[in-house]
Structure formats: C-alpha cells, structure tokens
Amino acid sequence: MTISRIAVVGGGIIGTAVARELALREPEATVTVFEKESHLAAHQTGHNSGVVHAGLYYEPGSLKAQLCRRGVEMLVQYAAVNGIPYDECGKLVVAHTTLEVDRLEKIHERARANGVPHVALLDRHEMREIEPNVRGVLALHSPHTAIIDFVALTEAFGNDVLAAGGRIEYNSEVARLDTMGNEVRVALAMPGVESKMTQDAGSFDLVVTCAGLQADRLARASGLEAEPRIVPFSGDYFLIEQPAADVVKGLIYPVPDPAYPFLGVHLTRRIDGALMLGPNAFLSMGREKYTRGYSKGGFDLGDIGSTLGYKGFWKFAKDNVKAAAREARTAVSPKAFIAEAQRFVPDLDPLTVKPGPRGVRAQAMNADGSLVDDFVITTRGRLTQVRNAPSPGATSSMAIAEHIVDKALGSLR
C-alpha cells in the first residue's frame, strides 16, 4: 500500500520522535507535524526535570521496562552523534526507615531483572562516598541514570523531520480528525475564534496524534472513546544555582511509597548545573497553566469544570485524602517543601533556594478513579492516537516511537 501523506499531531518529544520515525520508515511520504504553539516542546516536554531514567521501578518484562531500556540505549547514541549534552551523573534512592529498606531491596531486585547496569545497594558510609552530604540508612545507586535537555532533543528530532523533506506547521491547533475509508481529514481550529468553527487542513493516508494534555479532548472530538480522561496535576520546583548547587552531585530520590500516587520531593541536577528541588503534585487549575501560585493567570475555568465534573476524579480524591494532605503542605508552604528536601540533605541552605518553574502532568484516569500507569494507544483504521505516555515517556521517546509506528503501519496491512 502506497503512503504519501502522513500527519502527526503534537510537537512534544513523543510527537516529534514519532514523526522522525515515520520519515525514516516511509522515505517516499511527506510527514507533516501540526503543532498548536509557535515552537516545539511547549508543554510537558519543556517543563520537566530532564532526567533520563534507567528503568529501576518497572515490572520486569513489562512494556514500560522494555521501552525504557531500549530508549536509553537509543538516546545515548543519538545524543553523542548529534552533540546534545548528556550527563551520567548517577542517582541514589535513599531509605530512612526499616520499611523503606524492605521496599528498596525489592526495587534493587527489580532493577537487576530489568537489566539496569551496575546497580548496587550502599550502606550509610558508602552512599556518602557518592554524595558526601546525603543522609540515610541504605541507598540504591544507579550510576548510569542521566540528565539531558529534552527541549534540545525535541528540536533535534524536528530538524530530522525537516531534513527528510517533512514539514512542521506551527500555530496549527487540530480540533478534529475525521476517519474515512481511505484517508483521515484534519480540521484545524480557526485562530482567534471562540466558536467551534474549523478549517480544512487536508487529507492524509495516515495520522498519529500525540496530544498530551489535550489527548482525551481530541479523541472525543474525533469520535473515539471518552476514557481515559486527562486530569492535570501541577508540580512546582525550587532552584539552587551554582555554586550552592554543588551540595548535591547527581540525583537523590526518596523510596516510592505504594500508598501514594506521586513520588514526593526529590533533588535533581540540571544539565546547566543548577539543582532542582521537587516537584510536588497537586491538582492543577489549568491544563496548560504554568504560573506559580493562584493568580488570575493560573486559572482556566473550563479545565477546572472538566476536572470537577468528572466522577473518576472524585473517586480518586476520596481514596487519596492522605496523599492530598501531604502534597498540600508543600504546595502552600515553601518551608515545608524545603524541609522535605532537607530530610535527604540536611546541609541544604534555605537561603540559597528560590522559586523555580512549574510543570503540568497529563495524568490519565479511569472512570473508577484509578490512575493509568501504562501506555494507552488506540487505533481506528488510518488513525492512531496516543492517549497516555507516562514516565518514562521522554526517556523512552525513541523506543516508544518505534512501538507506535509499528502499530500505526500494522493497522494498514
């Protein structure tokens, strides 16, 4: 079957990786990326911590584990060839209690089963040889966990698409996709028009959507399933600049608590040398609102109404009262936020800490209130939609792209 016209919706790291993979697989086709902003990586990709995960936590043999390890291998090679800064600064997952020690030992077993290289458990003295200022009773060391600039990586993917003869259409918000027998028609939202008027952007032999924070809305507008729904959670970071940032050499994480849906505050070196504290996780007042605090610019009444009107959210909230209370402390109190980080690094000086960026996480949720922890990819004929691409989505982007393109092209056979 001849494919000459391909469209990808979304210019984040997953969308551009998919577009690049399609351009490589189908060199005779023209790949068009539709991005509603004026630049790539405008949302989740451009507001994360930049961590390249090694694959410590995922169920051995699971798709997430496989794609993470494959993704890291591809990313290392791609970054080296394309001159993208990549720093294997290493990571410590630090336990403070007997219960956390038990959990950490299980994570160690899982990491080894996943093929994560050179992971080791360190006692309190050994961990301080890696991070002199850290405190804990046991740590899992992952020396090959790394950091990268995911925006630069996304831009490199975009340049590959252009070099292959593709196009990137900025300021082009896709409102709806109509699946016909032999094509998919793309309808764009009319710029500056509040109504539901659209304009035709043409027909394509194959379309893949990677719409992130808007994935559920685009799916419903295109006649696909309502679930899973996206519920946005914001995450605030604090920053410590050089030279005070050298209080931490790499990454320091808490042991995940299965009773909580989110990890909690951790310490992360950035590729520019700054140290990030965070993020916390709290219900966002808008899917694409990155203003800290609760000023007018941080609200979207439509998004708030969508979340509060969703029965799945209320079931989730009922089951996670303790988690909400924990996250609320750090959301409203910088002192509490910093104190969480000081549990791991007591020498951290609060006077060196300043407010940093905010990210918004596209948390996919089911109607029963459960969080969707795996990839969700739906296909209808020539239309493939990525409904959920959770962490380690950025790390695994190149491997995820392979997987998505396999499914998309396979649907045409």
Side-chain angles (χ1 to χ4, degrees), residues 213-232:
L213 286 155
Q214 306 296 340
D216 58 334
R217 290 174 173 169
L218 182 56
R220 291 199 307 275
S222 305
L224 296 181
E225 296 81 3
E227 256 75 35
R229 291 274 290 273
I230 296 298
V231 175

Side-chain angles (χ1 to χ4, degrees), residues 106-162:
K106 292 177 181 177
I107 292 172
H108 180 227
E109 293 173 4
R110 181 169 287 191
R112 293 183 63 184
N114 285 336
V116 180
H118 305 122
V119 289
L121 290 172
L122 308 180
D123 64 26
R124 66 181 69 216
H125 303 294
E126 292 169 326
M127 72 175 77
R128 293 184 68 179
E129 294 177 6
I130 306 297
E131 289 282 0
N133 297 305
V134 74
R135 297 294 183 274
V137 296
L138 187 72
L140 176 62
H141 184 217
S142 173
H144 298 293
T145 296
I147 52 177
I148 196 172
D149 183 343
F150 281 123
V151 173
L153 182 63
T154 303
E155 291 170 347
F157 290 163
N159 289 336
D160 289 345
V161 173
L162 297 176

Side-chain angles (χ1 to χ4, degrees), residues 218-278:
L218 182 56
R220 291 199 307 275
S222 305
L224 296 181
E225 296 81 3
E227 256 75 35
R229 291 274 290 273
I230 296 298
V231 175
F233 284 85
S234 62
D236 288 332
Y237 292 93
F238 281 80
L239 280 180
I240 301 177
E241 303 285 358
Q242 290 282 2
D246 287 337
V247 69
V248 172
K249 306 300 181 186
L251 315 177
I252 300 176
Y253 275 51
V255 178
D257 185 342
Y260 294 105
F262 303 113
L263 181 59
V265 172
H266 40 285
L267 300 92
T268 306
R269 287 301 292 256
R270 233 168 41 172
I271 202 71
D272 63 1
L275 177 66
M276 300 178 72
L277 314 181

